[in-house]
């Protein structure tokens, strides 16, 4: 079975062009955890610990109540089809964050107003990609 991936290396995903905020906002708490809040918690507490695939599958596993012992099999099934990458994340589209993927493909989260965000934007050795827009032009 072919395995797809959402991982990038040495790439910075900028906040979307039509992102409504100029300063990053923490996703609001809701009764059920949202994709944005799961991604935020994982990445804020553990910069450069997870790959994009780890984060995206973990959200899927939490949302679909997948048990620990089923995870490996379910992950293979999940990535047998292409999946949307972090360019589609609400954190980059709506909440004002950028994602940096290091040379090992591990991800960290940076608020748009941070020094690190600006440094990454201006670093010519890092590939840039914009997050998906919420609305068509």
């Amino acid at each position: 079975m072919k395995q797809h991936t959402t991982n990038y290396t040495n790439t910075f995903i900028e906040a979307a062009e039509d992102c409504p905020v100029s300063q990053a906002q923490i996703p609001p708490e809701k009764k059920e955890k949202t994709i944005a809040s799961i991604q935020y918690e994982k990445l804020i507490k553990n910069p450069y610990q997870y790959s994009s695939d780890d984060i995206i599958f973990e959200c899927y596993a939490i949302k679909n109540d997948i048990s620990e012992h089923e995870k490996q099999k379910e992950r293979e099934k999940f990535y047998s089809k292409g999946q949307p990458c972090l360019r589609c994340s609400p954190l980059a589209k709506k909440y004002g964050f950028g994602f940096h993927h290091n040379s090992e493909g591990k991800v960290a989260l940076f608020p748009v107003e941070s020094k690190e965000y600006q440094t990454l934007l201006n670093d010519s050795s890092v590939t840039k990609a914009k997050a998906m827009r919420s609305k068509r032009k």
Side-chain angles (χ1 to χ4, degrees):
M1 202 164 25
K2 181 178 181 343
Q3 289 294 289
H4 294 265
T5 183
T6 63
N7 293 340
Y8 287 90
T9 53
N10 204 19
T11 300
F12 183 57
I13 297 176
E14 304 169 41
E17 241 175 273
D18 62 351
C19 180
V21 298
S22 55
Q23 285 203 313
Q25 296 178 341
I26 296 171
E29 284 296 315
K30 298 206 168 115
K31 258 199 190 104
E32 280 200 20
K33 283 201 180 297
T34 61
I35 298 247
S37 62
I38 296 166
Q39 290 177 348
Y40 178 81
E41 280 174 20
K42 289 252 174 246
L43 290 168
I44 276 301
K45 293 181 185 146
N46 310 291
Y48 300 116
Q49 294 288 304
Y50 300 104
S51 69
S52 172
D53 281 356
D54 295 339
I55 296 291
I56 289 168
F57 181 73
E58 193 55 32
C59 291
Y60 174 80
I62 289 168
K63 288 280 191 198
N64 292 282
D65 259 339
I66 294 169
S67 70
E68 273 309 311
H69 79 272
E70 291 175 310
K71 273 190 179 172
Q72 192 52 50
K73 197 176 81 200
E74 287 297 324
R75 185 176 170 132
E76 285 169 24
K77 208 161 78 185
F78 184 74
Y79 284 113
S80 68
K81 292 196 288 272
Q83 298 294 337
C85 69
L86 289 172
R87 289 183 54 217
C88 298
S89 168
L91 292 176
K93 289 173 71 166
K94 194 167 153 188
Y95 294 108
F97 289 93
F99 295 99
H100 178 242
H101 300 254
N102 68 12
S103 59
E104 292 158 25
K106 303 292 187 192
V107 186
L109 192 61
F110 295 101
V112 288
E113 70 276 10
S114 69
K115 252 198 210 97
E116 297 89 344
Y117 188 98
Q118 288 310 312
T119 304
L120 286 161
L121 265 189
N122 298 321
D123 184 341
S124 59
S125 72
V126 176
T127 307
K128 315 295 181 299
K130 279 214 186 288
M132 302 295 203
R133 299 170 52 86
S134 295
K135 295 181 177 73
R136 289 186 184 182
K137 279 190 169 173

